[in-house]
Amino acid sequence: IRRKLAETNPEAYLPAVANTLNNLAVLYGSTGRTDTARTYSTEATEILEPLWQANPELHGNQFARNLLTSALVSKTAGRSADESLPFAYRALDAAYDLALRQSIEELIEELHPGSQS
């Protein structure tokens, strides 16, 4: 439904599509279906990145949550920290919310102990 709405009004509905995709990534990641989770997370990133670049303050936290999901999916899939860390660092750069930033910093510390965020 949101995809269809986004066809007629992308500015209003593309963030909702990306949010749904991110939620699906979280769901699939938590059930061990990391390939499917990565697919949804990647699509959400492709939707959100141009929105974030156009208006970082409006879309920064959503973009950061999506990137955090990508980092967590990589971690859950048993990928190396080298694959997860770039997502986490990009999330930290995009995030405005202090609690979100703290969660990202904790993940970075877990992936790379002793690192400076």
Side-chain angles (χ1 to χ4, degrees), residues 44-97:
T45 299
E46 290 169 354
I47 290 170
L48 287 171
E49 189 158 17
L51 298 173
W52 170 70
Q53 288 176 354
N55 194 338
E57 289 180 15
L58 179 61
H59 299 289
N61 289 327
Q62 184 180 9
F63 188 52
R65 279 190 293 276
N66 174 247
L67 292 166
L68 178 58
T69 297
S70 295
L72 292 169
V73 166
S74 288
K75 180 180 171 245
T76 301
R79 308 274 189 220
S80 72
D82 290 341
E83 184 177 315
S84 301
L85 277 169
F87 291 120
Y89 282 121
R90 285 184 71 205
L92 189 60
D93 286 341
Y96 284 86
D97 180 77

